[in-house]
């Protein structure tokens, strides 16, 4: 016997009596499950005020966080992806590109920004996870390549914010070679003795980890970001065991010696300022 | 070098088994297998001496040659993948033993251990020192496990880099023989920084002062292959593949099923011809008909000729020129609208 019985069937609230809650007014943290007003989240740089979970954001939000107001300009936006191979899986790559562009506010999985951070010039290549899983294809590689040329020419430091599932399968070996291309270009930045800061955010995996993400003069990460070469599912299948708690998270990666430090989003701008001032000897005397 | 020493440096699964076992035919090679069976039968009839089979034999042999040409002349992407994984295919240490009049296998990354899936050492081709690195697969179940199926751990990539830096110091050209289903996706591999190890190799190989020749001799799977794949010349043997992901994994991710590997292999355009057409590699090295395993010695001789030719060409350039060309080559890879 049930403890209580519903004696009136169906929903009895009339449409007029229902409270209107537009989409996006509330946000539920995927980590602590607490629901808070979305404005509280945006005011806190998209970090959960309750548990410090760093929500996934893209170049638009990162540029707002790190650059001085009104200083940022996007570069190389005219470079666009192309379905050169005519790749078809369950959907054609061509359609995938068209559909993705309709849905998102960015033109590729990486946006280049040029602006000032507390008065210091900084070029930022920021990955966009909402563009085909932040996958690295030819345009991502070329934008990084052009950004590096720009840095070398103008003597600016470079920041790459990684957030990616890895190389883009639909561009096959062209995607793979973006690992070689970006690493080759980074040797030129290094030869010019310009700082390269790699910020890894949730998630940074696959070919991105195995190329530019791990090649920073300083490798830093946001808290609890998934960082690895192979994805956790693949590793689990390979070893046939459950993975330890915290495996491949920033704290784990730092403990194993591959990160210089972990930075909270609220401190990001000031840490970047520290790095640029110290490495480029720019602090006010 | 005396024979004992020579044996000492050549052991550890180096020598390819020379005993002739029965040929292993792949599914698409069935018509050839059937024709060979007919040939055997016909020979037996001939041996009995009752019937003259000479003209029939010649006819059949011609037919075999024709069928071989048509099958091997129009291999699909997936069939290339199958050939690249043929259980009798020669591996890195076999080629080294055939190419070199002497070879010192060198072990360890000086940090963690010695990766058995990544081998390397100092060899000599016709009197000229060459540093070899490459993934090594095993020839039987036990060896395959010992070699971790040619899937290197971070210490493998770091060992390869150590040897390359040594080669640079002593001005010795580098030959990298690539054959891997991928870098090992294991728990400890992640702890020891698989991503960092590969990334570092990509950057360091870009600026090596000595000639670097990379040859895909079997499977060229993704970052695991690229991790020893940055060179002045990147070449592929005829029946190999190079891709961002294996056809099986691609099928599982994009089609949500393991059953589309053939289609994935086509879509990925992973054959040497595609790679050359896209200018992502510098050349293709032909194999004996039916694949390298049909005549490993001939394959080794072809390889030796190619390596010697490319080293000679590259040594005509100054190291700065080679590095500049290397950066320029990899920087120009990619297709986009602008």
């Amino acid at each position: 016997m049930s403890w209580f019985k519903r004696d009136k069937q169906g929903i009895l609230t009339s449409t007029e009596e229902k409270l209107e809650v537009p989409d996006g007014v509330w946000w539920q943290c995927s980590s602590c499950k607490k629901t808070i007003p979305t404005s509280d989240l945006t005011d806190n740089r998209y970090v959960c005020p309750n548990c410090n979970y760093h929500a996934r954001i893209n170049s638009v939000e990162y540029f707002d966080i790190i650059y001085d107001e009104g200083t940022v300009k996007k570069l190389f936006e005219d470079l666009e992806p192309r379905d050169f191979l005519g790749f078809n899986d369950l959907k054609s790559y061509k359609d995938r590109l068209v559909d993705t562009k309709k849905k998102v506010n960015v033109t590729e999985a990486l946006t280049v920004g040029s602006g000032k951070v507390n008065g210091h010039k900084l070029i930022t290549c920021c990955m966009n996870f909402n563009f085909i899983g932040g996958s690295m294809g030819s345009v991502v590689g070329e934008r990084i390549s052009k950004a590096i040329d720009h840095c070398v020419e103008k003597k600016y430091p470079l920041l790459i914010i990684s957030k990616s599932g890895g190389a883009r399968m639909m561009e096959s070996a062209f995607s793979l070679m973006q690992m070689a291309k970006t690493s080759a270009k980074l040797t030129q930045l290094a030869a010019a003795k310009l700082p390269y800061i790699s910020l890894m955010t949730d998630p940074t995996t696959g070919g991105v980890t195995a190329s530019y993400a791990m090649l920073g003069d300083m490798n830093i990460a946001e808290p609890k970001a998934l960082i690895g070469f192979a994805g956790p599912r693949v590793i689990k299948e390979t070893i046939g065991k459950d993975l330890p708690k915290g495996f491949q998270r920033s704290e784990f990666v730092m403990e194993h010696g591959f990160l210089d430090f972990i930075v909270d989003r609220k401190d990001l701008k000031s840490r970047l300022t520290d790095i640029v001032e110290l490495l480029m000897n720019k602090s006010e005397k | 070098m005396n024979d004992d020493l020579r044996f000492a440096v050549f052991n550890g699964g180096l020598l390819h088994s020379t005993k002739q076992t029965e040929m292993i035919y792949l599914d698409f090679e069935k018509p050839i297998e059937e024709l060979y069976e007919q040939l055997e039968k016909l020979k037996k009839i001939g041996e009995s001496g009752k019937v003259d089979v000479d003209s029939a034999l010649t006819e059949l042999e011609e037919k075999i040659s024709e069928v071989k040409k048509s099958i091997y002349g129009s291999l699909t992407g997936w069939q290339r993948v199958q050939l690249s994984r043929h259980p009798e295919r020669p591996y890195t240490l076999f080629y080294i033993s055939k190419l070199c009049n002497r070879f010192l296998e060198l072990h360890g990354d000086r940090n963690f251990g010695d990766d058995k899936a990544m081998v390397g050492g100092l060899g000599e081709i016709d009197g000229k020192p060459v540093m070899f690195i490459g993934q090594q697969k095993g020839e039987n179940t036990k060896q395959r496990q010992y070699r971790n199926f040619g899937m290197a751990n971070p210490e493998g990539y770091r060992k390869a880099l150590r040897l390359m830096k040594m080669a640079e110091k002593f001005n010795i050209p580098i030959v990298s023989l690539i054959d891997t289903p991928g870098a090992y996706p294991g728990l400890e591999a992640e702890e020891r920084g698989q991503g960092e190890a590969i990334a570092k190799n990509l950057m360091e190989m870009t600026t090596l002062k000595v000639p670097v020749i990379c040859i895909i001799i079997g499977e060229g799977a993704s970052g695991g292959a690229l991790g020893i794949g940055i060179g002045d010349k990147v070449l592929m043997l005829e029946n190999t593949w190079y891709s961002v992901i294996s056809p099986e994994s691609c099928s599982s991710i994009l089609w949500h099923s393991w059953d589309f590997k053939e289609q994935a292999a086509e879509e990925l355009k992973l054959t040497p011809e595609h790679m050359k057409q896209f200018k992502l590699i510098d050349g293709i090295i032909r194999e004996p008909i039916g694949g390298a395993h049909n005549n490993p010695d001939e394959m080794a001789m072809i390889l030796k000729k190619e390596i010697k030719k490319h080293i000679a060409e590259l040594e005509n350039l100054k190291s700065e020129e080679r590095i500049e060309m290397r950066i320029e080559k990899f920087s120009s890879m990619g297709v986009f609208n602008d």
Side-chain angles (χ1 to χ4, degrees), chain B residues 123-136:
Chain B
E124 190 178 46
I125 302 180
D126 294 341
K128 189 173 174 50
V130 172
M131 182 64 86
F132 284 94
I133 55 166
Q135 289 101 349
Q136 177 67 25

Side-chain angles (χ1 to χ4, degrees), chain B residues 80-203:
Chain B
R80 294 294 182 88
V81 174
Q82 286 177 290
L83 275 175
S84 77
R85 295 173 182 166
H86 197 286
E88 289 169 326
R89 201 169 166 87
Y91 302 135
T92 296
L93 284 172
F94 166 78
Y95 287 123
I96 294 175
S97 75
K98 290 286 171 186
L99 293 167
C100 296
N101 36 326
R102 49 178 167 165
F103 175 64
L104 295 167
E105 188 174 349
L106 304 172
H107 297 273
D109 71 339
R110 299 294 188 268
N111 265 307
F112 179 78
D114 183 45
D115 193 335
K116 307 295 186 289
M118 183 77 79
V119 297
L122 203 47
E124 190 178 46
I125 302 180
D126 294 341
K128 189 173 174 50
V130 172
M131 182 64 86
F132 284 94
I133 55 166
Q135 289 101 349
Q136 177 67 25
K137 291 180 179 174
E139 285 159 28
N140 51 47
T141 310
K142 213 175 158 186
Q143 282 286 321
R144 276 190 272 278
Q145 282 178 346
Y146 178 72
R147 297 294 183 186
N148 200 25
F149 305 90
M151 296 184 284
N153 273 287
E155 54 273 20
Y157 292 98
R158 293 182 183 130
K159 164 174 157 183
L161 182 59
R162 179 176 79 84
L163 301 188
M164 290 189 278
K165 292 306 246 183
M166 188 197 298
E168 182 177 53
K169 179 175 173 185
F170 295 101
N171 199 25
I172 293 168
I174 297 163
V175 172
S176 169
L177 300 176
I178 298 165
D179 186 9
T180 183
Y184 187 58
L187 188 141
E188 290 88 0
E190 292 295 320
E191 291 180 335
R192 297 198 289 272
Q194 188 71 284
E196 193 272 348
I198 293 172
K200 180 143 196 221
N201 279 17
L202 302 183
M203 203 163 165

Side-chain angles (χ1 to χ4, degrees), chain A residues 47-277:
Chain A
V47 174
C48 175
N50 187 46
C51 71
N52 202 36
Y53 168 75
H54 284 51
R56 280 181 190 170
I57 52 172
N58 298 309
S59 55
V60 180
E61 293 85 16
Y62 273 112
F63 289 169
D64 267 352
I65 292 169
I66 62 174
Y67 283 122
D68 303 342
E69 211 181 326
T71 64
V72 66
K73 198 174 79 187
K74 282 188 239 172
L75 301 177
F76 320 120
E77 283 288 293
D78 48 346
L79 292 169
E80 287 186 335
R82 185 172 144 204
D83 179 20
F84 181 73
L85 302 175
F87 194 101
N88 287 301
D89 49 270
L90 296 174
K91 196 171 175 181
S92 78
Y93 180 36
K94 208 173 174 176
D95 291 346
R96 220 180 263 273
L97 286 172
V98 173
D99 295 352
T100 303
K101 278 185 193 166
K102 270 187 217 156
K103 272 189 277 180
V104 300
N105 54 352
V106 291
T107 57
E108 244 291 356
L110 180 138
T111 306
V112 184
S114 167
K116 284 185 174 172
V117 178
N118 286 324
H120 305 302
K121 278 298 291 198
L122 179 73
I123 302 297
T124 303
C125 299
C126 182
M127 300 196 76
N128 303 305
F129 198 73
N130 56 358
F131 200 102
I132 320 189
S135 55
M136 169 176 57
S138 296
V139 172
V140 169
E142 182 66 11
R143 285 189 182 172
I144 290 177
S145 172
K146 282 204 149 60
I148 291 173
D149 287 341
H150 188 69
C151 287
V152 171
E153 191 197 332
K154 306 268 188 188
K155 299 203 178 348
Y156 292 153
L158 175 72
L159 165 71
I160 301 183
I161 304 177
S162 293
K163 188 185 286 290
S164 170
R168 188 174 297 166
M169 277 174 278
M170 293 74 112
E171 291 185 30
S172 192
F174 284 101
S175 298
L176 178 67
M177 293 308 162
Q178 302 313 305
M179 294 168 65
K181 174 172 177 165
T182 51
S183 306
K185 291 301 289 185
L186 282 172
T187 64
Q188 295 181 324
L189 190 75
K193 300 205 185 302
L194 293 162
Y196 163 38
I197 307 153
S198 170
L199 171 65
M200 289 169 248
T201 70
D202 187 54
T204 299
T205 58
V208 169
T209 306
S211 60
Y212 52 83
M214 279 290 169
L215 292 172
D217 292 305
M218 291 189 200
N219 293 336
I220 63 180
E222 287 189 339
K224 294 197 176 114
L226 178 79
I227 300 165
F229 175 63
R233 193 176 56 87
V234 177
I235 300 169
K236 204 176 153 183
E237 277 168 18
T238 308
I239 63 170
K241 275 189 278 192
D242 281 334
L243 301 168
K245 201 167 175 282
F247 179 66
Q248 289 185 315
R249 295 289 162 180
S250 306
E251 297 71 15
F252 170 97
V253 179
M254 181 158 139
E255 197 53 39
H256 285 86
F258 296 97
L259 294 177
D260 288 284
F261 57 86
I262 293 168
V263 59
D264 264 32
R265 211 173 269 162
K266 65 173 166 29
D267 303 323
L268 179 60
K269 185 169 180 171
S270 71
R271 286 297 85 78
L272 290 173
T273 312
D274 291 340
I275 297 173
V276 171
E277 287 182 350

Side-chain angles (χ1 to χ4, degrees), chain B residues 253-286:
Chain B
I253 296 171
L254 291 180
W255 279 267
H256 312 296
S257 147
W258 295 97
D259 302 334
F260 294 86
K261 53 186 191 291
E262 286 94 346
Q263 201 182 330
E266 294 312 311
E267 296 295 333
L268 287 167
K269 304 212 167 29
L270 40 66
T271 66
E273 290 76 19
H274 281 120
M275 291 295 286
K276 179 77 178 57
Q277 185 198 328
F278 300 152
K279 298 194 172 101
L280 299 177
I281 59 163
D282 302 292
I284 303 169
I285 300 174
R286 96 180 156 79

